[in-house]
Amino acid sequence: MSELNPQESDAVFGGQNLPPINAAVLGGEVGIKKRLQYEKSIARENKFWHNFKYLHGFSQYIVFEPHVKIINPQETAYFLRDYRYNPPPNNISFEDKFDALVKQTRASEVEGLFFGCLSNEKLINILVDNCKKLKKLKALCLGAISEDEQMISEIYHGDISRILLAYDKLEILQIRGRYLRFCTKLHHQNLKSLTIISGGLNRESLLDINELDLPALEYLEIWLGSKEYGSNSSITDLMPIISGDKFPKLKYLGFKNCEYTDDIAFELARSPIIEKLLELDLSMGALGDDALSAVLSCPMINELDKLDVSQNFISDGFIAEKLPQFKLNCELITEGQRQVYPYDDYGNEINEREYRYCVVAE
């Protein structure tokens, strides 16, 4: 709009990348909320507010610097970050920023923290050491780093179970990165939402999750990723979750960004878990027509409110001709389907399934 008189939801962009990379949103809380509503313009691998509905109490999101005063800590999520490139003038170390936050008198009331930290193992140590100063922390996001500073395959976290042990009131945990573990078998009474965003999640991480006792968990989102970037899991590793017995209160299940989405879909079609769920998300993966047909043929499919199979490999013919025959009562999201060219570089016909790929691998 006007260059000299920006309005509440105006945005200013920089460079050639899509927002939010190299872009800023003006207008404070109103501008941010309007920007978040326009999902197609937000890079999916950076959607740290994807499960925003689970952050009921947070009406704003503030980048924390030492001069920032903690005000309305029940309504505000604070973002602390360090910089690999182009730090702002007078930038201080991440450790000093964290120290300035926990020294404030209202630090013990803070409920939401987001971290864009280049050394996440150091961050875990700091969080554990300061758990008594952040007694009411309910929502925590790790790895909130833009792709132009650190690629998702280069973000390492270490043992996340130390955080769950230190913060027994935590309800929301969101992690973006490649290497993470839950090395301790533990019981956590309050965790409601667990999101792991990865371009290549290791099998050991999934086995760790299977050992967690999370009786309150309602939202589970896992990006499994590509074999080329460390994803060595298989459908067998997901079966404790797919069976429906592992997390009895689960309402949202997302197995996203996966190379074996077909296998997941066929198993889900035979599982009673669909009857318990409100939302099933198989987006950004390698789902084909036959596997989707199996899920849609499940007698319990209309128990769902939403089924997201966007950005997969569903054919135009299936969407146009087959989908109407299922007479679905749930919302079905199919946008952004991709296609595999049926021949290799030498003109030989290929096995289409072998050439499907997930959206985020690097």
Side-chain angles (χ1 to χ4, degrees):
M1 296 184 185
S2 170
E3 294 180 1
L4 301 179
N5 185 27
Q7 303 301 307
E8 283 186 326
S9 58
D10 283 357
V12 56
F13 305 104
Q16 302 299 316
N17 295 315
L18 291 172
I21 299 173
N22 288 341
V25 179
L26 306 181
E29 178 184 341
V30 174
I32 290 173
K33 283 186 175 180
K34 288 186 177 181
R35 191 64 189 162
L36 286 172
Q37 289 170 359
Y38 190 52
E39 291 190 357
K40 289 184 180 180
S41 69
I42 300 174
R44 283 185 178 264
E45 65 270 30
N46 285 329
K47 280 179 63 180
F48 297 110
W49 291 85
H50 175 75
N51 56 347
F52 183 80
K53 61 187 174 183
Y54 283 86
L55 305 177
H56 326 285
F58 302 128
S59 60
Q60 58 183 337
Y61 170 76
I62 293 177
V63 176
F64 181 83
E65 296 291 346
H67 66 274
V68 173
K69 297 297 183 183
I70 296 176
I71 301 173
N72 298 325
Q74 291 79 29
E75 299 179 5
T76 305
Y78 294 93
F79 178 34
L80 282 76
R81 64 164 298 182
D82 53 7
Y83 298 85
R84 173 176 285 185
Y85 309 113
N86 301 320
N90 303 318
N91 181 57
I92 65 172
S93 70
F94 172 84
E95 292 86 349
D96 288 340
K97 293 176 186 178
F98 189 96
D99 188 57
L101 184 142
V102 297
K103 282 182 177 178
Q104 292 197 31
T105 55
R106 302 195 69 181
S108 62
E109 301 175 50
V110 170
E111 295 186 2
L113 289 175
F114 278 47
F115 289 97
C117 185
L118 301 175
S119 177
N120 289 285
E121 291 191 82
K122 182 186 294 185
L123 169 61
I124 291 174
N125 291 332
I126 293 173
L127 282 169
V128 171
D129 291 343
N130 288 274
C131 63
K132 292 182 180 180
K133 298 176 183 178
L134 298 166
K135 296 179 180 179
K136 294 187 178 180
L137 190 65
K138 291 184 178 180
L140 179 63
C141 175
L142 307 179
I145 306 169
S146 63
E147 287 290 314
D148 57 344
E149 284 206 284
Q150 193 164 24
M151 292 182 290
I152 193 171
S153 61
E154 295 179 348
I155 302 174
Y156 294 81
H157 292 283
D159 184 8
I160 304 297
S161 58
R162 297 177 59 208
I163 291 175
L164 293 177
L165 290 168
Y167 292 89
D168 58 357
K169 290 184 173 62
L170 200 65
E171 295 181 3
I172 300 149
L173 179 59
Q174 191 161 337
I175 308 163
R176 176 176 176 270
R178 177 177 175 182
Y179 180 81
L180 58 103
R181 295 292 307 271
F182 296 88
C183 296
T184 302
K185 297 180 182 180
L186 57 86
H187 171 88
H188 196 287
Q189 188 66 34
N190 294 310
L191 195 70
K192 295 180 180 179
S193 174
L194 176 61
T195 302
I196 298 174
I197 300 172
S198 178
L201 191 64
N202 194 281
R203 176 175 180 262
E204 283 69 24
S205 301
L206 291 175
L207 298 180
D208 289 346
I209 293 171
N210 291 337
E211 297 293 335
L212 297 177
D213 182 12
L214 306 174
L217 195 69
E218 298 177 359
Y219 184 108
L220 178 62
E221 177 180 344
I222 303 176
W223 297 31
L224 293 154
S226 165
K227 293 190 293 289
E228 293 184 7
Y229 290 96
S231 176
N232 57 356
S233 63
S234 70
I235 186 62
T236 303
D237 306 313
L238 302 180
M239 289 309 297
I241 300 171
I242 291 175
S243 70
D245 298 327
K246 182 61 190 172
F247 303 118
K249 289 190 177 182
L250 211 59
K251 299 302 180 185
Y252 171 100
L253 177 60
F255 289 130
K256 301 174 60 174
N257 195 50
C258 180
E259 292 181 329
Y260 56 90
T261 322
D262 275 2
D263 297 336
I264 295 172
F266 283 124
E267 292 297 339
L268 284 168
R270 296 189 285 265
S271 170
I273 195 173
I274 291 182
E275 188 174 7
K276 303 176 183 179
L277 297 175
L278 296 178
E279 296 185 29
L280 176 61
D281 192 339
L282 302 176
S283 62
M284 304 171 63
L287 186 69
D289 294 354
D290 293 342
L292 177 57
S293 181
V295 172
L296 298 181
S297 299
C298 173
M300 298 171 289
I301 190 64
N302 285 317
E303 297 296 322
L304 295 175
D305 289 344
K306 182 187 293 186
L307 172 61
D308 189 343
V309 294
S310 59
Q311 293 185 275
N312 277 289
F313 289 86
I314 311 302
S315 68
D316 293 341
F318 187 94
I319 292 174
E321 300 170 13
K322 298 293 184 181
L323 282 186
Q325 300 177 16
F326 288 99
K327 300 179 180 179
L328 298 174
N329 292 326
C330 68
E331 179 185 0
L332 180 64
I333 301 174
T334 60
E335 64 183 17
Q337 299 301 321
R338 295 164 287 155
Q339 294 183 347
V340 174
Y341 188 67
Y343 302 98
D344 63 19
D345 294 339
Y346 303 98
N348 301 312
E349 190 171 354
I350 64 173
N351 181 337
E352 179 184 333
R353 184 174 177 180
E354 293 180 358
Y355 280 81
R356 297 180 200 165
Y357 54 93
C358 58
V359 172
V360 178
E362 177 52 78

